[in-house]
Amino acid sequence: LMFYIGSVAAPFPFLRNPGYLGPSLYCASVCYQTIASPLMLLVAFSMEGGSGMPQADLWALVGVATVVLLVGASLMGCYMVPEYRKTFYQHNSFKMLVMWMWDERTRCVYGDGSDASRASVLDFATWAWPPSDQVRTWLENWERWEREQPSWFTGEWKERLRHPSVPPEALPPALKRKFDTANENKERYRRASSLIRSPSLAVSDGDAGGRSAGASAKVVPE
């Protein structure tokens, strides 16, 4: 049902995105709707016997709408950048789109350049990422990014690479060790902090020894 509703709404261009219908299905849906509209009207007239329905007005409405559609599509095809015409009809899966972003795109919301484009690709779910060996090779530039600090190299973006869903083979060994060490330090600090806040460590004000022990239990995060 949802697939059919999406095909009915296919004239909306954003549905050409491979994450939705994709170009080939989008084009097929537009053609289907263009052909099906007069056929559905013809069937409706035959079932009702043609009585009680303003046939002339309905045929005129469908005819005008079809002409507007064809003229609009023709003008769009004539005036668009020629190399983009194929994006309205050729097969292009979401995985193919991701690989194009990874290999060829040089401009995105993160900025200009292939590094910015590839950084935005890693915002997708890990199942949509390029092959792990390509991601690992690109992430070997980590030390250079730490020196140059590009605009997209933020704490939020770096945190995504530490998510449990990230394939271990997609991370360079040196970067994986760095993440593992940071996670261990974070976990050690969390445990120490929970011990300090634990009620079992509470002491009375008159217990000097307890106060001394409590003071010595303070932990400074690494």
Side-chain angles (χ1 to χ4, degrees), residues 61-99:
L61 182 61
V62 171
V64 170
T66 303
V67 170
V68 170
L69 168 65
L70 296 177
V71 172
S74 300
L75 291 175
M76 179 184 67
C78 290
Y79 287 100
M80 74 168 54
V81 179
E83 56 264 29
Y84 291 155
R85 288 174 184 154
K86 60 185 179 183
T87 66
F88 279 82
Y89 60 83
Q90 72 174 8
H91 173 66
N92 187 22
S93 66
F94 185 70
K95 194 69 174 180
M96 293 168 62
L97 175 65
V98 169
M99 290 309 302

Side-chain angles (χ1 to χ4, degrees), residues 94 98 101-102 105-111 113-125 129-130 138 152 157 160:
F94 185 70
V98 169
M101 292 177 176
W102 184 265
R105 191 179 64 168
T106 57
R107 177 173 295 180
C108 66
V109 294
Y110 278 4
S114 60
D115 281 344
S117 179
R118 291 179 175 183
S120 71
V121 168
L122 298 191
D123 285 345
F124 292 127
W129 283 13
W138 180 67
W152 51 265
W157 183 85
R160 292 193 184 100

Side-chain angles (χ1 to χ4, degrees), residues 47-204:
M47 293 178 63
E48 294 293 334
S51 60
M53 301 180 68
Q55 296 189 25
D57 294 340
L58 292 176
W59 279 119
L61 182 61
V62 171
V64 170
T66 303
V67 170
V68 170
L69 168 65
L70 296 177
V71 172
S74 300
L75 291 175
M76 179 184 67
C78 290
Y79 287 100
M80 74 168 54
V81 179
E83 56 264 29
Y84 291 155
R85 288 174 184 154
K86 60 185 179 183
T87 66
F88 279 82
Y89 60 83
Q90 72 174 8
H91 173 66
N92 187 22
S93 66
F94 185 70
K95 194 69 174 180
M96 293 168 62
L97 175 65
V98 169
M99 290 309 302
W100 172 81
M101 292 177 176
W102 184 265
D103 293 330
E104 301 181 30
R105 191 179 64 168
T106 57
R107 177 173 295 180
C108 66
V109 294
Y110 278 4
D112 296 337
S114 60
D115 281 344
S117 179
R118 291 179 175 183
S120 71
V121 168
L122 298 191
D123 285 345
F124 292 127
T126 53
W127 62 263
W129 283 13
S132 294
D133 58 331
Q134 295 187 28
V135 176
R136 183 175 63 250
T137 301
W138 180 67
L139 289 177
E140 290 175 353
N141 296 302
W142 193 272
E143 292 185 359
R144 174 172 63 85
W145 299 330
E146 287 185 329
R147 294 192 306 269
E148 299 176 356
Q149 289 296 314
S151 59
W152 51 265
F153 194 65
T154 62
E156 181 181 0
W157 183 85
K158 289 184 283 188
E159 190 65 26
R160 292 193 184 100
L161 297 181
R162 297 170 60 176
H163 194 274
S165 64
V166 174
E169 61 273 14
L171 301 176
L175 184 59
K176 188 176 185 301
R177 287 193 298 270
K178 179 180 292 189
F179 286 170
D180 290 342
T181 300
N183 289 335
E184 291 172 2
N185 291 342
K186 184 177 180 180
E187 180 65 17
R188 189 182 303 117
Y189 176 62
R190 185 191 66 80
R191 290 180 179 178
S193 299
S194 63
L195 289 175
I196 294 174
R197 293 192 299 267
S198 175
S200 63
L201 294 181
V203 295
S204 62

